[in-house]
C-alpha cells in the first residue's frame, strides 16, 4: 500500500520545505524548483544530477493512453530533504526513493518528492515514478508544438525546449545529461522507435515491446519516442556505424534518395567536425501534417516529411553541435543553431554551391532585417530562442571568426570545440575563451562585442 497521499498543496509545501530533526544528523534543504535558466527558470531542478533514466512506457494510440514507469538514478549534489522533478500533466500513481514510499506533491510542472530518508551530498539514489494518462501537447513561447503529438497512426514525443516533461518526469534542462534505456510497448502492427540502439523486442498478448539503449549522455530535449507504422531501413555509415531509419510509408518514396545520402553526409561531417559522437545514427520521417519542424533528436533526428539535403545536413550537424556539445542554458542556443546553419553553408561551399563567405555577404547586404533584431548570444526572450538572429547571425559569427583566423585555424577551432566538450555541456563564454586560446595572436574583441553581443546590424569594418 502506498503512503503517498495527495496532500493539500499548502501543507505539502510546508512538508517539503521543512527539514526533519530526527534524521540522523543530516541538515539538508530542498533542492529547488529550477536551475535559473534565463529563459525557462522553472526548467530543471536543483540539488541532484541524473545519471540514468530507465523508462518503461506503454502506449495505445486509440484512447491516447500512456502508462509509464520512470526509474531515475541520480547523485545528490547537496544534502537533500526534498527535490523536484519536472512533469507536465499525467497522473502520478506512486513515487518511491531507494525503494521506500516517498511523499510527493504537485504544483504546475513541479513534482516535489520528499524521500522517507534524507539524502546526503554525493549519495547516488534511485527514484521510481509510476504515472499514467493522456500526455499533453505543449505550446512553446514561440507558438510551436512539442511534448506529445498524436500522429495519424501513433504519436511522437518531442522535447525542445521543455516538451519532454509531457511524457516523462525528470530533470528537464540541457545542463543535466544522462544515459537512457527506453522501452515502449505498443499494439502489434505498430512500431516504437527511439534514440540509440534497439536492444530488445518481444511480443506478448497482442502487444510488442521495443527496448532502446542510449549509451552516451543525452539531454532530455533530444530524447524521442515515435510510435506508428514505419518502414524500417538499416544500413551502415562511416566505420561501420549502424544506421536505422524509420519512415512513414507515405513518405517512403520521397525520402529514399535523400536518406541514402546519410553515410556520405556523415563522412563529410566527420572530416569537418571530427569523429561522429554516438554509437548509431539514422532518421525518423513522419508526415508533414503530424509534425511541423525538424528536430535533432539524438542519433535519430525527426523530419516533417522527406527532408531536403540542407535540412538533413543541418540535423546531422546538430549531433556534434547541440547533442554532443550541449548548450548549458537556453541562452546558448546559438552554439546549436549557428553551428548547424554554418554546416549547411560549408556543405554548399564544398559541393559546388555558394561559398560560406558569399552566403554571409548575401545576408549582410540583403533586406531581411529580422536577422538584426537581437544579438545571437542574448535572445530577446523565450519566444525568440529559435529566431533568425540565433540561426543566421549565429552562423555569421562563425564566418567572422573564419575571416580572422583563416581556414586552417578555423577548422581546428570547430573540430577542437566538438572534441573539447564531447558528451558535455558548454556556454558562450567558454566558446569565446576557446577561440582566443586557439588563435592567441588575434583580437576577437570586436567580433564578440558587435556580432555576438551587440544590438543591431554591425557596421562594415
Ligand atoms: N532545433 C530545431 C532545428 O533547428 C528547430 C526547433 C524545433 C526548435 N523545435 C524547436 C528550436 C523549439 C527551438 C525551440 O533543427
Ligand atoms: Zn537546428
Amino acid at each position: 500500500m502506498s503512503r503517498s497521499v495527495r496532500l493539500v498543496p499548502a501543507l505539502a509545501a510546508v512538508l517539503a520545505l521543512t527539514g526533519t530533526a530526527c534524521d540522523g544528523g543530516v541538515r539538508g534543504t530542498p533542492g529547488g524548483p529550477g536551475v535559473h535558466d534565463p529563459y525557462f527558470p522553472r526548467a530543471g531542478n536543483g540539488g541532484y544530477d541524473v545519471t540514468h533514466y530507465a523508462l518503461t512506457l506503454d502506449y495505445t494510440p486509440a484512447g491516447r493512453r500512456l502508462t509509464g514507469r520512470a526509474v531515475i538514478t541520480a547523485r545528490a549534489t547537496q544534502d537533500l530533504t526534498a527535490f523536484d522533478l519536472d512533469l507536465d500533466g499525467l497522473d502520478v500513481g506512486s513515487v518511491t526513493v531507494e525503494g521506500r514510499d516517498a511523499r510527493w506533491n504537485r504544483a504546475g510542472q513541479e513534482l516535489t518528492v520528499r524521500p522517507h530518508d534524507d539524502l546526503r551530498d554525493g549519495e547516488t539514489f534511485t527514484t521510481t515514478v509510476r504515472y499514467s494518462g493522456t500526455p499533453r501537447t505543449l505550446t512553446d513561447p514561440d507558438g510551436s508544438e512539442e511534448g506529445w503529438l498524436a500522429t495519424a497512426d501513433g504519436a511522437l514525443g518531442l522535447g525542445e525546449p521543455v516538451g519532454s516533461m509531457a511524457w516523462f518526469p525528470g530533470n528537464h534542462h540541457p545542463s543535466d545529461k544522462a544515459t537512457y534505456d527506453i522501452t515502449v510497448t505498443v499494439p502489434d502492427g505498430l512500431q516504437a522507435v527511439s534514440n540509440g540502439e534497439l536492444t530488445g523486442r518481444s511480443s506478448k498478448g497482442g502487444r510488442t515491446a521495443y527496448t532502446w539503449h542510449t549509451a552516451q549522455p543525452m539531454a532530455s530535449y533530444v530524447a524521442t519516442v515515435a510510435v506508428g507504422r514505419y518502414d524500417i531501413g538499416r544500413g551502415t555509415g562511416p566505420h561501420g556505424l549502424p544506421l536505422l531509419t524509420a519512415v512513414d510509408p507515405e513518405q517512403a518514396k520521397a525520402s529514399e534518395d535523400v536518406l541514402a545520402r546519410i553515410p556520405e553526409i556523415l563522412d563529410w561531417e566527420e572530416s569537418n567536425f571530427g569523429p561522429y559522437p554516438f554509437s548509431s545514427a539514422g532518421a525518423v520521417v513522419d508526415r508533414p501534417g503530424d509534425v511541423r519542424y525538424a528536430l535533432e533528436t539524438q542519433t535519430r533526428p525527426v523530419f516533417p516529411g522527406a527532408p531536403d539535403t540542407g535540412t538533413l545536413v543541418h540535423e546531422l550537424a546538430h549531433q556534434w553541435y547541440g547533442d554532443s556539445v550541449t548548450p548549458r542554458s537556453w541562452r546558448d542556443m546559438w552554439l546549436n543553431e549557428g553551428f548547424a546553419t554554418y554546416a549547411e553553408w560549408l556543405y554548399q561551399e564544398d559541393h559546388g554551391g555558394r561559398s560560406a563567405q558569399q552566403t554571409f555577404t548575401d545576408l549582410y547586404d540583403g533586406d531581411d532585417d529580422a536577422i538584426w533584431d537581437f544579438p545571437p548570444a542574448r535572445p530577446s526572450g523565450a519566444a525568440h530562442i529559435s529566431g533568425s538572429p540565433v540561426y543566421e547571425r549565429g552562423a555569421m559569427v562563425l564566418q567572422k571568426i573564419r575571416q580572422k583566423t583563416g581556414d586552417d585555424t578555423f577548422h581546428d577551432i570547430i573540430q577542437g570545440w566538438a572534441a573539447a566538450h564531447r558528451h558535455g555541456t558548454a556556454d558562450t563564454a567558454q566558446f569565446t575563451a576557446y577561440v582566443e586560446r586557439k588563435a592567441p595572436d588575434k583580437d576577437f574583441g570586436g567580433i564578440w562585442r558587435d556580432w555576438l553581443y551587440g544590438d543591431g546590424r554591425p557596421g562594415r569594418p
Side-chain angles (χ1 to χ4, degrees):
M1 203 192 78
S2 173
R3 272 189 355 107
S4 304
V5 278
R6 281 177 179 280
L7 299 166
V8 182
L11 172 59
V14 169
L15 282 171
L17 289 167
T18 317
T20 48
C22 49
D23 56 9
V26 175
R27 283 290 173 275
T29 50
V35 292
H36 309 290
D37 186 275
Y39 298 90
F40 298 90
R42 288 185 308 149
N45 306 285
Y48 65 93
D49 264 318
V50 178
T51 53
H52 186 72
Y53 291 92
L55 308 178
T56 308
L57 310 176
D58 186 294
Y59 188 68
T60 306
R64 297 189 183 181
R65 191 171 166 81
L66 178 76
T67 305
R69 186 186 72 206
V71 180
I72 303 167
T73 307
R75 199 179 57 82
T77 55
Q78 62 174 70
D79 291 341
L80 282 170
T81 53
F83 61 91
D84 279 15
L85 296 166
D86 299 317
L87 181 67
D88 192 325
L90 299 165
D91 298 312
V92 172
S94 69
V95 181
T96 65
V97 177
E98 291 291 88
R100 300 193 69 163
D101 286 326
R103 295 187 182 210
W104 54 271
N105 167 59
R106 300 190 71 181
Q109 68 181 50
E110 301 301 321
L111 167 61
T112 301
V113 177
R114 192 171 197 297
H116 182 275
D117 301 310
D118 288 354
L119 301 163
R120 282 179 187 276
D121 187 9
E123 179 179 350
T124 295
F125 63 100
T126 300
T127 305
T128 301
V129 181
R130 288 171 198 275
Y131 59 100
S132 61
T134 298
R136 288 182 183 167
T137 303
L138 309 178
T139 304
D140 269 2
D142 76 359
S144 59
E145 293 192 327
E146 53 180 77
W148 196 260
L149 310 180
T151 59
D153 55 4
L156 258 179
L158 293 179
E160 191 176 24
V162 290
S164 292
M165 63 180 77
W167 53 283
F168 68 97
N171 198 23
H172 290 300
H173 189 264
S175 56
D176 189 3
K177 297 166 73 168
T179 55
Y180 285 70
D181 284 294
I182 301 178
T183 297
V184 190
T185 303
V186 293
D188 281 350
L190 297 182
Q191 273 142 338
V193 179
S194 185
N195 314 90
E197 294 94 59
L198 183 67
T199 54
R201 180 188 162 143
S202 64
S203 296
K204 191 170 82 185
R207 302 182 75 76
T208 303
Y210 297 81
T211 299
W212 297 84
H213 178 61
T214 293
Q216 296 87 29
M218 177 163 79
S220 74
Y221 81 92
V222 285
T224 190
V225 164
V227 174
R229 283 179 222 287
Y230 294 106
D231 292 344
I232 302 293
R234 289 174 188 273
T236 47
H239 330 291
L241 181 75
L243 305 182
L244 187 142
T245 55
V247 180
D248 184 289
E250 279 192 2
Q251 299 298 318
K253 222 172 132 48
S255 304
E256 203 179 308
D257 290 351
V258 68
L259 296 184
R261 303 183 62 180
I262 291 175
E264 154 207 332
I265 293 169
L266 288 176
D267 197 51
W268 176 85
E269 293 189 337
E270 283 202 325
S271 69
N272 283 282
F273 312 146
Y276 178 77
F278 305 121
S279 45
S280 61
V284 174
V285 180
D286 239 305
R287 299 183 204 177
D290 288 342
V291 52
R292 292 195 170 74
Y293 52 79
L295 187 64
E296 63 268 28
T297 41
Q298 190 159 309
T299 66
R300 204 146 289 119
V302 167
F303 298 96
D308 56 25
T309 304
T311 305
L312 185 57
V313 167
H314 180 112
E315 303 308 333
L316 294 177
H318 270 310
Q319 304 302 312
W320 284 259
Y321 306 107
D323 295 11
S324 173
V325 182
T326 300
R328 181 145 308 152
S329 87
W330 290 110
R331 185 157 64 195
D332 303 305
M333 183 72 169
W334 82 277
L335 292 172
N336 286 8
E337 302 303 349
F339 275 76
T341 302
Y342 197 81
E344 294 180 64
W345 298 6
L346 210 49
Y347 188 87
Q348 279 179 12
E349 174 176 314
D350 278 2
H351 292 81
R354 282 183 306 179
S355 67
Q357 178 57 40
Q358 191 59 53
T359 306
F360 173 95
T361 304
D362 292 350
L363 285 169
Y364 188 80
D365 293 336
D367 46 22
D368 180 7
D369 287 339
I371 296 175
W372 316 114
D373 277 354
F374 56 82
R378 290 287 179 272
S380 50
H384 302 290
I385 60 167
S386 51
S388 62
V390 173
Y391 283 68
E392 271 80 30
R393 189 169 158 188
M396 292 173 93
V397 170
L398 295 175
Q399 182 62 20
K400 292 301 292 181
I401 295 168
R402 184 176 171 191
Q403 288 172 2
K404 181 143 314 243
T405 62
D407 286 1
D408 287 353
T409 303
F410 179 72
H411 271 95
D412 284 353
I413 287 172
I414 57 175
Q415 209 170 108
W417 174 247
H421 297 281
R422 183 177 169 92
H423 300 159
T425 59
D427 62 23
T428 303
Q430 285 172 300
F431 178 71
T432 56
Y434 182 82
V435 172
E436 287 167 358
R437 274 204 305 283
K438 285 283 184 173
D441 55 327
K442 299 282 195 284
D443 179 8
F444 296 94
I447 299 178
W448 309 151
R449 186 189 64 233
D450 298 339
W451 283 89
L452 206 43
Y453 296 110
D455 286 320
R457 182 175 179 267
R460 287 180 196 280

